[in-house]
Amino acid sequence: MDPNILHNIGYGMYVVGSFKGERLNLQIVNTLFQITSEPVTIAVSINKENLTHDFIETSMMFTASILVEETPLNFIGRFGFRSGKDVDKLKDVKFKKSGSGCPVILDYSIGYIEAKVINKLDCVTHTLFLGEETSSEVLKTGRPMTYAYYHQVKRGTTPKTAPTFIKEEGIATGGTKMQKYRCTVCNYVYDPSVGDPDGGIQPGTAFKDIPEEWVCPVCSVTKDKFVKEG
């Protein structure tokens, strides 16, 4: 079997949120899709180890904020590579609460859907939650970010808890004679020919010339967590 075939299945990039009492939590999700139109039902796959899973099972509600293509990697990394058990993911982030109390992202969001869980399916490591729409809103116009765009253009990586994670997946960064460096935490590859424009690093900047205060654009670890690639 060739796991690379799975990269040809279409996905989007969403921030899924829920609540438990007064606590809020959100995470990045790519496995979310519409099931029916009347009534509007959507399904989302959440890893059982994630805090969001516990919150959805408790509240039986969730929201899905749709990210725009311009969303920077560090914003995605905030919700994809950090746990709500350790950090406040909503610190310095613009958001609001939906009618049920679920968090809705306003930064880099085209709009959102709120849903009430009406069924769920145990998928061993994950739970597939089926939700019926209770509210929705378009916040602004823009091109929604696809999972392919996240990988191929933004050069993003995938957490191990994601449904689409493939062990030792590579990042296609194009050929270059300059030395690439890989983050040992999230597998992001710094390619000098591309740089990190979102982080102020211009194309053509060698890794050794990046300022020491620079951090991984995906998971925010420091330069000392990078190793030579290849």
Side-chain angles (χ1 to χ4, degrees):
M1 294 186 292
D2 186 354
N4 289 312
I5 190 63
L6 299 175
H7 291 308
N8 294 291
I9 298 177
Y11 303 96
M13 291 294 285
Y14 314 92
V15 180
V16 168
S18 191
F19 67 93
K20 185 176 184 179
E22 296 299 317
R23 298 178 63 193
L24 306 174
N25 197 64
L26 307 99
Q27 70 168 76
I28 289 292
V29 164
N30 56 55
T31 311
L32 183 147
F33 47 95
Q34 182 179 346
I35 302 295
T36 63
S37 58
E38 292 184 11
V40 175
T41 54
I42 58 176
V44 62
S45 178
I46 304 290
N47 191 286
K48 293 179 181 179
E49 296 180 3
N50 292 355
L51 189 63
T52 306
H53 185 280
D54 177 34
F55 283 22
I56 293 177
E57 282 213 313
T58 300
S59 68
M60 297 297 282
M61 299 290 303
F62 65 88
T63 50
S65 300
I66 304 167
L67 295 181
V68 71
E69 279 188 351
E70 291 76 20
T71 306
L73 277 180
N74 59 4
F75 187 84
I76 297 173
R78 169 192 290 265
F79 298 105
F81 287 88
R82 299 181 187 179
S83 172
K85 301 172 185 177
D86 306 317
V87 299
D88 178 7
K89 296 184 181 182
L90 287 169
K91 183 179 180 181
D92 300 323
V93 172
K94 293 180 181 179
F95 74 99
K96 70 176 183 178
K97 290 184 180 181
S98 66
S100 68
C102 291
V104 172
I105 293 298
L106 301 179
D107 289 328
Y108 308 109
S109 175
I110 296 173
Y112 72 92
I113 299 172
E114 176 193 63
K116 178 180 180 180
V117 176
I118 56 175
N119 210 337
K120 59 182 180 179
L121 176 65
D122 190 325
C123 301
V124 188
T125 58
H126 292 67
T127 296
L128 186 68
F129 292 103
L130 182 66
E132 183 176 327
E133 179 189 33
T134 53
S135 67
S136 60
E137 182 182 359
V138 175
L139 299 174
K140 65 179 180 181
T141 59
R143 189 187 298 274
M145 182 184 294
T146 64
Y147 196 48
Y149 187 92
Y150 169 69
H151 270 290
Q152 298 168 12
V153 180
K154 305 294 285 188
R155 297 176 296 117
T157 57
T158 306
K160 292 183 178 180
T161 56
T164 53
F165 175 77
I166 297 177
K167 188 176 181 180
E168 298 180 357
E169 71 174 277
I171 307 302
T173 56
T176 177
K177 295 182 179 180
M178 300 181 74
Q179 179 66 55
K180 301 176 185 178
Y181 281 76
R182 177 177 57 84
C183 176
T184 57
V185 175
C186 72
N187 282 330
Y188 166 82
V189 174
Y190 175 78
D191 184 346
S193 68
V194 178
D196 174 25
D198 287 342
I201 308 302
Q202 297 302 311
T205 304
F207 188 79
K208 64 181 179 63
D209 295 328
I210 298 175
E212 291 303 314
E213 61 270 20
W214 179 83
V215 295
C216 175
V218 175
C219 68
S220 299
V221 297
T222 51
K223 281 182 65 178
D224 61 317
K225 298 297 191 298
F226 279 71
V227 295
K228 288 184 179 181
E229 175 76 353

